[in-house]
Amino acid sequence: MAYELTNEEWSKLKALLLKKKMGRPCLDLRRTLSGIKWILKTGSSWRALPPVFGKWNSVYRYFCRLQQKGVFEKIFAELTKEVVLEEVSLDSTFVKVHRHGLGAKKGLSDI
């Protein structure tokens, strides 16, 4: 499945997550994290989580516990240590809206 954690992703996350005890462990931590990944990538509601990732409520509660304990920030900090930025590209695009699109009255002359 496209949203399953790869072996490389799982090995990095497993090392970071299994260091701390966070209450009762998940039945399948890899499946739960894949479910969290699915939610974050699709933007779907928690209730739309496919059953292959486990019960939506269990995955949601585990996500909330990770968030409250600051685990995502620690994971991000650890994984970005390896990143080497040689080139950075920024794009700034804007679209100018016609005055009628902003609610201006029609018939005014351009000044």
Side-chain angles (χ1 to χ4, degrees), residues 20-26 62 65 69:
K20 291 186 174 184
K21 297 246 181 194
M22 290 191 29
R24 192 170 129 212
C26 299
Y62 193 73
R65 277 189 274 159
K69 293 192 181 277

Side-chain angles (χ1 to χ4, degrees), residues 26-93:
C26 299
L27 292 175
D28 186 356
L29 183 58
R30 185 173 183 168
R31 184 178 72 164
T32 301
L33 292 175
S34 293
I36 292 172
K37 180 181 175 181
W38 185 87
I39 289 289
L40 296 176
K41 283 197 165 225
T42 62
S44 296
S45 67
W46 285 100
R47 290 181 186 262
L49 185 69
V52 72
F53 297 118
K55 294 180 182 177
W56 72 266
N57 195 29
S58 299
V59 177
Y60 171 73
R61 285 189 317 211
Y62 193 73
F63 172 79
C64 289
R65 277 189 274 159
L66 291 174
Q67 186 179 18
Q68 289 171 352
K69 293 192 181 277
V71 174
F72 292 118
E73 288 83 5
K74 292 173 186 170
I75 289 172
F76 181 75
E78 188 68 31
L79 295 179
T80 54
K81 286 180 183 177
E82 301 171 7
V83 176
V84 177
L85 296 176
E86 294 178 3
E87 293 183 27
V88 177
S89 176
L90 298 175
D91 181 23
S92 175
T93 306

